[in-house]
Amino acid sequence: MSHALPNFRHLYYFWVVAKEGSITRAAERLGLAIQTVSTQLTLLEQAFGKALFTQQGRRLNLTEAGRLALSYADQIFLLGEQMQEALDASDSTRIRLAVGISDSLPKFTAYRLLEVTTQLATPVRLVCHEDQYEALLGDLALHKLDVVLTDRAVPTGTTLRVFSHLLSESEMFVVGAAALAHEYRDDFPASLHGAPFLLPTRNNALRGKIDDWFERHAIRPDVVGEFEDNALLNTFGRRGLGLFFTPAAPAADIDYQLGAELVGRVPEVREHFYAISNERKIKHPAVEAILSAVHKGALADG
């Protein structure tokens, strides 16, 4: 009987669980929920059609199939590390920067944060990975990434040895496709009462700030869509489904990046942007260049 090929991420989670001997410890190492890791293991076992672990007390032991799978996983991940080292060595003229970009981070904000790396004396080869915040922190803790760019700091009390560095903060704009922008621009922000809005989902750090701002101004928007992915929200906004919030930027950037026009400024609502690293003091020259640009004001509000 044939089975589907295993998902690479499922295999990676299995490898970490096998090394840790516990789903709980693996979840802490990866920075993920226990249920998330457990689900990935179940999916992998379904793909293989075989049980990979047996439970003995609080510890997971590998089955015979699990030991065989682990031997291959060891070779796969060792070969991946050797391949990366070989590729890096073959391109000694460039600095490799592996960046994790949170899916909630606006794309033009990510570009503005990384643009300074293109101006270094030594060229930089960017390798960008976009994913959910928790998954990126897990990859960072395992040194698969050099830095994570995101809109939230690492929560206090985390077991991961990763550290937040505030890069910048920005006031927010309300923007929309041309027709909507023209309709709701006058008498801002009172004009927004009943206006159609696209908002981040409630697990986004920005959503609470937006809701508080609406409440302070006695605005009840018509929420026509909620999105976890910022790029998807912008796409719907570009098509005129509703107004939406975006970090402050020059009008030309908003028009080019979002296909939208400014409705009004919201200085009371501010979004913060962070670089998260494995070390308290960032040592990667490209990331240090980003921080230096921040300190000089090059990444200030647009």
Side-chain angles (χ1 to χ4, degrees):
M1 179 178 178
S2 61
H3 300 279
L5 289 173
N7 180 285
F8 185 82
R9 175 165 288 178
H10 299 166
L11 185 62
Y12 182 61
Y13 290 168
F14 156 75
W15 183 71
V16 175
V17 172
K19 297 296 183 182
E20 294 291 334
S22 162
I23 291 178
T24 300
R25 288 199 297 273
E28 290 176 353
R29 178 176 169 183
L30 292 165
L32 300 173
I34 293 173
Q35 184 59 43
T36 300
V37 179
S38 178
T39 299
Q40 305 307 310
L41 285 182
T42 299
L43 292 173
L44 183 64
E45 289 182 328
Q46 290 174 352
F48 283 141
K50 295 180 181 293
L52 301 176
F53 293 98
T54 59
Q55 185 83 40
Q56 289 191 353
R58 294 185 177 182
R59 183 170 180 83
L60 289 177
N61 288 333
L62 290 165
T63 63
E64 183 177 348
R67 286 191 292 272
L68 181 62
L70 179 60
S71 68
Y72 279 98
D74 281 336
Q75 295 178 52
I76 289 170
F77 293 118
L78 176 60
L79 187 60
E81 291 176 3
Q82 292 174 342
M83 178 179 68
Q84 188 61 68
E85 290 173 0
L87 289 172
D88 289 346
S90 68
D91 190 10
S92 58
T93 61
R94 289 184 177 271
I95 304 171
R96 180 178 184 272
L97 178 64
V99 186
I101 300 174
S102 173
D103 55 10
S104 61
L105 190 73
K107 300 301 176 288
F108 67 85
T109 298
Y111 172 76
R112 289 182 67 204
L113 293 173
L114 292 172
E115 183 180 19
V116 67
T117 66
T118 66
Q119 302 165 11
L120 295 178
T122 302
V124 173
R125 179 162 60 92
L126 286 173
V127 182
C128 295
H129 303 271
E130 185 181 22
D131 208 332
Q132 295 181 352
Y133 174 79
E134 293 80 5
L136 292 175
L137 289 192
D139 287 343
L140 178 67
L142 293 168
H143 300 277
K144 295 170 67 66
L145 298 171
D146 296 310
V147 68
V148 170
L149 301 181
T150 182
D151 59 353
R152 70 185 92 166
V154 177
T156 57
T158 180
T159 58
L160 296 174
R161 291 190 58 79
V162 295
F163 305 94
S164 303
H165 310 266
L166 179 63
L167 290 177
S168 65
E169 61 177 286
S170 172
E171 70 173 297
M172 301 300 291
F173 287 171
V174 173
V175 301
L180 283 178
H182 295 162
E183 180 177 355
Y184 292 101
R185 185 177 291 133
D186 293 341
D187 197 26
F188 180 91
S191 59
L192 301 182
H193 187 73
F197 263 91
L198 308 174
L199 297 176
T201 54
R202 295 189 184 279
N203 61 353
N204 186 297
L206 185 63
R207 178 61 183 274
K209 299 175 185 178
I210 292 173
D211 288 344
D212 288 344
W213 183 78
F214 280 142
E215 186 174 350
R216 287 198 305 274
H217 290 272
I219 296 169
R220 289 190 178 180
D222 177 16
V223 181
V224 297
E226 297 178 90
F227 300 82
E228 286 191 355
D229 181 73
N230 183 270
L232 187 60
L233 187 156
N234 290 343
T235 298
F236 276 75
R238 184 183 301 115
R239 303 298 295 178
L241 187 64
L243 302 174
F244 56 106
F245 286 79
T246 189
D253 282 355
I254 293 175
D255 180 40
Y256 176 74
Q257 295 284 343
L258 304 177
E261 296 182 10
L262 176 66
V263 178
R265 304 170 71 100
V266 188
E268 305 100 309
V269 178
R270 303 189 73 81
E271 189 165 27
H272 297 80
F273 306 114
Y274 296 88
I276 302 178
S277 71
N278 278 307
E279 304 290 341
R280 289 186 185 274
K281 294 184 178 180
I282 292 180
K283 300 176 181 177
H284 196 293
V287 183
E288 286 183 335
I290 295 172
L291 293 178
S292 177
V294 169
H295 296 153
K296 293 176 181 177
L299 299 179
D301 286 354

